[in-house]
Amino acid sequence: MRPFVYEQPTEISTAAAMASRFTRRDDQPTRANAQFIAGGTNLADYMKLGVAQPDRLLDLNRLADPGLRQIRVTDDGIRFGALVRMGEAADHPDVKRRYPVIADSLKLAASGQIRNMASLAGNILQRTRCEYFRETSWACNKRVPGSGCAAMEGFNRQHAVLGASDACIATYHGDFAQALMALDAIVHAEGARGARNIPFAKLHRQPGDTPHIETDLAADEIITAIEVPAIPWARRSLYLKIRDRESYAFALASAAVALDLDGDGVREARIALGGLATVPWRAGKAEEVLQGKPLDEHSATIAADAAFADAVPRQHNAFKTELGKRTLVRALLETRDMKV
Amino acid sequence: MDAAAPRPKDNQGEPLPRVDGRLKVTGQAHYPADLPTGNIAYGALATSSIAKGKVTKLHLDDARAVPGLLDIVTYGDMDKVEKPKFGNSGATSVGPLHDRIIFHDGQIIALAVAETFEAAEEAAQLIRAEYEEEKPTATFDSPGTATIPAAGKSPLFKEDVKAGDFDAAYAGAAVKIDQRYSTPTQHHNPIELFSTTAFWQGDQLVVHEPSQNVTGWKVELARQLKMDPGKVRIVSPFIGGAFGSKGPMTPRTAIVAVAAKRLGRPVRCVTSRMQAFGTQTYRAETRHRIQIGAGKDGRIAAFAHEGWEVTSRPDSYVVGGTSATGRMYDYGSILTHVSLVQADRNTPGYMRSPPETPYVYALENAMDEMAVALGMDPVEFRRINEPKTEPIGKKPFSSRSLIQCYDQAAEAFGWAKRDPKVGAMRDRDWLVGMGCATAIYPTAVAPCAARVRLTVDGDVRLQCGSHEIGTGVRTVAAQMASERLGVGIDKISVEMGDSSLPPAPVSGGSISTASVCSAVLKACDAVRAKLYAGATAEGGPLAGSHNDELDLADGKIVAKSGASAKVEDVIKTMQVGAIEEYAEFAPKGATPEALKKLYAGTPEFHGGEQDEDSVKYAFGAEFVEVRINRYTREIRVPRLVGAFAAGRIMNTRTARSQLMGGMIWGIGQALHEATEIDRRYARYVNRDLQDYLVPVNADIKDLQVILVPEIDHAVNPAGVKGLGELGNVGTAAAVASAVYHATGKRIRDLPIRIEQLLA
Amino acid sequence: MSQPSALSATGLNRRSFMTGTASAAAAVPLLGSPVKAEAAHGSGAELRQPVVTSLRINKQSYELSIDPRTSLLDVLRDHAGLTGTKKGCDHGQCGACTVLVDGKRVLSCLSFAVMNGGKEVTTIEGLASSDGALHPMQQAFIDHDAFQCGYCTPGQIMSAIGCVNEGHAQSEGDIREYMSGNICRCAAYPNIVAAIMQARDETKGA
């Protein structure tokens, strides 16, 4: 690991100013000299591996603003402070009751220990677990722009079939983000040049020709909160995660589903897919297919086919298209059958 | 009584809690990297990022500039040291710093040593190599492999076994199968990281390193460093899981020893999880072709098993599991052949039941297919083909309780409730399947020495250079001494894991309990004999009694007459403070050199199929229930039952735990474990516990182990068969059988994964 | 690059801590002197400076002068001499390094020690009472043979205590799921679950 200077700012504005001071305007947050740390579960791992090399670490855990550590439930929805830990949010009674998809996505992620450490904001910003990204001796366009992609023709069982490019097929592995994607969450960020709100769908960037650009954030911007709008029917929602073993593994495929039903008919469907795409993935086409139709295995299958119409399989991940479809069908039917 | 402590049946010992349990739950059990060592310097490895070629240049300047950097050991620095030897004590013949040739991915290219772990890691990451790269050969089907016959390439695999006229019998069989199976590369991944701590005390070298073979390593390390073995000491009091990975010594040990000498201070190098994939051994991938021909009555007439195993270019590592599969059933005729396939890889090595895990998996999956082809219940099919004698040499089995295992496991599992029709069993959205398979493991034993001291206070000190890798060997050795000396277990202290103790064989091949207990028994009996002599001597408390009329229990020597004397009083009358005996146990059939070889770190193994009088194996039967989601096809194993017979069980608690752990290993083999190789570069891809999946707690629900009573006096004086490796032999085939039952899909390539069941 | 003093009004000012740190644990090895570091890298003396941090470990205070890169795990093992906490992967994949920080189970390998300043860390060595009586979870692990090699055991026990404290030990199924972050390669899982069931009701926090 490269050496670094450790700082503990106590105000968001100071933290942003520090970051601004030690980074250039166009630095990517993941490549900047100064980087923020909260839980550390992702960043410390990547620093040890030499993938992340900040020489200044700004620890956000001493920030004084109490809102950063609160979950506030209002008529407008729910607001998660950025420093709330995954485990706290997963166990929160209102989250479990009003947004089961959020609670499930958090509970099925990582392990008890990691959920106690990882902040919600850090979790949504977690970087890919692509083996070729993790190990610095491989060619990787995300890690070293222009160096090539060893995964493309390598062992790519866990890689993305949706949203990939010729430069990168690395999967976004987070779970919580899929729930936020489905529920149209808003991310609040504050930087040296002020505060702004980012629709969750705009936070992550598909790799395209620039896989090293992972999010819309600037290097001095700190996520302060995540807001989920009030969706009364989100009580009928779930997160289904399919993986090789029963727990403590990344998704081979996952689906975050929320349904507004009128009898068996779908008034509105919200669908996001995990473990299959390069970024948190909203399956808009599948949602459209279902709208106004009765939900049964047949319609769910048509929706799933629509969701994967543009899937591009590689050698070892070809099964993910079929698995993704079946995961979505199962998730839709299980959501339909929820007793709420 | 709780599940962890089964009530002992015939020929089974008490489920005493582990004698080192308290140390382990309080953090006071010291594994080698925990042992306090003052003024330590930290080492970190730099390893190659290519699998074949030559290092043309090493850039060390950036590393040397790291503050706190003390030394870099690399090419040229090991020239005065002998290259490693491949064999029982050596993992590979590659001396990674002896020349600049790269034989495999992850080969050591340098060791950076610094004042702190952080500085050493930083420096190691800054070492850059330039290579003259050649196109490497990764594995089966890669261009450039060389295939050679395995027989004779290893002292443990002398020949391809055969019997009768296979071709004729197979041609004439009414029902046949001819199928191919495969198993993947696997790494042991014990949770303890591989580490070496070395320091010099004058001309003496002390190494703290997790080892299953301290005596062998002492000798091999002394050879490499051109030293008197008496001046090398390997210390390994607790080992954090081994499974074969800590049997052979790797080149790192000598490199760290050299670094410690150059610096004149202790050096500790803890290998990272990623680096361990290339610097340690592993289970090589295998392929199998199995042909079985049988009559319509289910009697097998012909069996052929051809195996292929990957090995490295420089070393011929062979497992050759056909010697076990060829003796499993009453085949009629047998034909086997094993080939080695050489590729640009690190040298494979022992991993829990090395031959049986892949070969018996293939055989048992084929047996299940054959039962289906015959329309026969798979248990019945095995019952029909149960041999009276071993089918190749026609020797008797010393004992064979396979059918009892099947009967008891089937009963506990509820096999009778299984609907044999494929896909017939369902639970809502889950397809249910049930399957079974046989487990087999050869019973071997090796020479072993032990020292036992009984003091006047009734304390027993037991010393033996064996290894506590989690098997409970300290506990069963103490139990043996407790039984033979009539002393409570709390009065016994056991010292192990140090090459300065009486030598024991490598803790591999499931021989430790048998070998150690036989030596302890012999030492205790010698102590006993001295005690008896003291008791019955003129003026002794039991003068006039004969030795064979005496018994020793609860700290007293009791004569048939009813007269008794306290052990402490007997020792007092002998006018000594303690009685101490050093015993050397050599198994029946041992060569005249057997004991000498024990001290040389090259112990003879006896048993299995090698003995004149009988063949010696332990057996078991495993049953599993699988559930497969009707949509998404993930596979779960909510229920396992295994019944095993392994001669005398010293301690039902530790025995059950080992078998349970083995069965769960089998789940890993069936469903999870595979080291993936990037075929273009011959490099491992998933080199950590994030991507190399092993079972976690949530994967295991209902698991039952049945210890089937068995008495076998032929195997060794302790009457013990090994069981550390037996448990994981049958599981994977049982899972394959159950997956077929649930889905109608016969999966022949491990691990069985979602993608194989989606199509 | 600017001098850090302009911004160090917030958080720790390392220099002021560096003065008067005579009480730092004797065993703490310092990296090369700041002067040497500056000469080597020229990117500011601050980059290689040790940071002084105060930790409470098993109810004892430690004032440590450490390389900020040092993980909490390595501080426990190499600086505080508490080797009961184990390194199994160093990347948050196995759970062997689990300790309690302010009562919550965390992975000490993924936590820089400096981030734990002022916090209360409990390790396996801090469980048994001073008279040697084992914590109920420790005793339950012995009773149910919930380990073989014992290497993952300190992490399992700390995680089990955390799991019970969190209220995630309501059923065997719960325990299996919430204990899945602790890999036991010897695979003592069913025994671990039985041990936690036994100790659950006797455990009132570590």
Side-chain angles (χ1 to χ4, degrees), chain A residues 255-274:
Chain A
V257 170
L259 291 175
D260 183 10
L261 292 184
D262 177 11
D264 271 350
V266 177
R267 261 195 295 259
E268 187 172 352
R270 300 286 188 84
I271 301 168
L273 298 170

Side-chain angles (χ1 to χ4, degrees), chain A residues 128-198:
Chain A
T128 184
R129 311 289 172 148
C130 169
E131 300 94 331
Y132 296 92
F133 172 76
R134 284 178 66 76
E135 222 270 271
T136 53
S137 62
W138 295 107
C140 173
N141 288 322
K142 192 184 276 297
R143 188 167 21 77
V144 182
S147 62
C149 171
M152 201 78 67
E153 304 299 328
F155 179 74
N156 46 33
R157 179 174 185 260
Q158 58 129 304
H159 289 74
V161 293
L162 296 168
S165 71
D166 290 342
C168 183
I169 57 171
T171 301
Y172 175 84
H173 289 284
D175 298 299
F176 178 46
Q178 312 305 340
L180 298 177
M181 195 76 183
L183 299 177
D184 283 336
I186 303 285
V187 171
H188 297 262
E190 201 171 321
R193 280 149 290 167
R196 64 174 176 139
N197 294 343
I198 308 167

Side-chain angles (χ1 to χ4, degrees), chain B residues 409-453:
Chain B
E411 168 78 25
F413 184 81
W415 183 252
K417 291 186 199 129
R418 171 186 184 256
D419 181 341
K421 213 169 127 240
V422 165
M425 300 182 81
R426 278 206 182 193
D427 180 9
R428 285 160 299 161
D429 281 341
W430 294 84
L431 314 176
V432 176
M434 296 179 180
C436 62
T438 303
I440 181 174
Y441 196 82
T443 297
V445 64
C448 184
R451 184 185 290 122
V452 172
R453 175 193 293 171

Side-chain angles (χ1 to χ4, degrees), chain A residues 1-3 45-50 53 129-132 134-135 137-138 149-155 157-158 240-250 252 297 316 319-320 322-323 326-330 333-334, chain B residues 48-49 105 117-118 121-122 125-126 128 274 429-430 629-636 671-672 676-681 683-696 698-699 701 753-755 757-759:
Chain A
M1 191 188 304
R2 290 258 302 270
D45 178 25
Y46 279 139
M47 287 171 68
K48 288 182 187 209
L49 291 169
Q53 303 194 327
R129 311 289 172 148
C130 169
E131 300 94 331
Y132 296 92
R134 284 178 66 76
E135 222 270 271
S137 62
W138 295 107
C149 171
M152 201 78 67
E153 304 299 328
F155 179 74
R157 179 174 185 260
Q158 58 129 304
L240 175 65
K241 183 172 180 181
I242 307 302
R243 39 191 168 172
D244 285 312
R245 67 183 176 196
E246 180 71 11
S247 184
Y248 201 21
F250 296 108
L252 289 169
E297 190 154 345
H316 305 98
F319 73 100
K320 279 188 158 190
E322 179 64 21
L323 179 63
R326 294 189 188 198
T327 301
L328 178 51
V329 170
R330 181 177 156 193
L333 298 178
E334 287 185 6
Chain B
S48 74
S49 59
D105 172 38
F117 171 72
E118 294 74 30
E121 286 281 307
E122 181 188 357
Q125 286 181 354
L126 289 170
R128 297 266 176 273
M274 270 189 174
D429 281 341
W430 294 84
N629 187 272
R630 149 169 113 83
Y631 293 102
T632 41
R633 301 275 153 168
E634 70 269 34
I635 311 153
R636 301 291 180 252
L671 303 178
H672 306 303
E676 309 291 353
I677 302 163
D678 189 311
R679 300 180 67 99
R680 301 166 298 174
Y681 302 101
R683 299 189 64 197
Y684 301 126
V685 179
N686 55 335
R687 304 192 299 170
D688 57 25
L689 292 173
Q690 170 185 298
D691 296 311
Y692 184 97
L693 296 188
V694 300
V696 294
D699 286 304
K701 295 189 172 68
R753 285 182 172 159
I754 286 178
E755 51 264 49
L757 300 179
L758 279 174

Side-chain angles (χ1 to χ4, degrees), chain B residues 67-103:
Chain B
L69 193 277
L70 296 168
D71 195 8
I72 296 174
V73 181
T74 185
Y75 301 113
D77 298 329
M78 296 293 289
D79 290 354
K80 290 186 182 141
V81 171
E82 293 285 339
K83 275 174 105 167
K85 254 188 195 167
F86 169 68
N88 280 332
S89 303
T92 174
S93 64
V94 174
L97 300 183
H98 280 81
D99 54 46
R100 289 166 174 259
I101 297 170
I102 298 293
F103 291 91

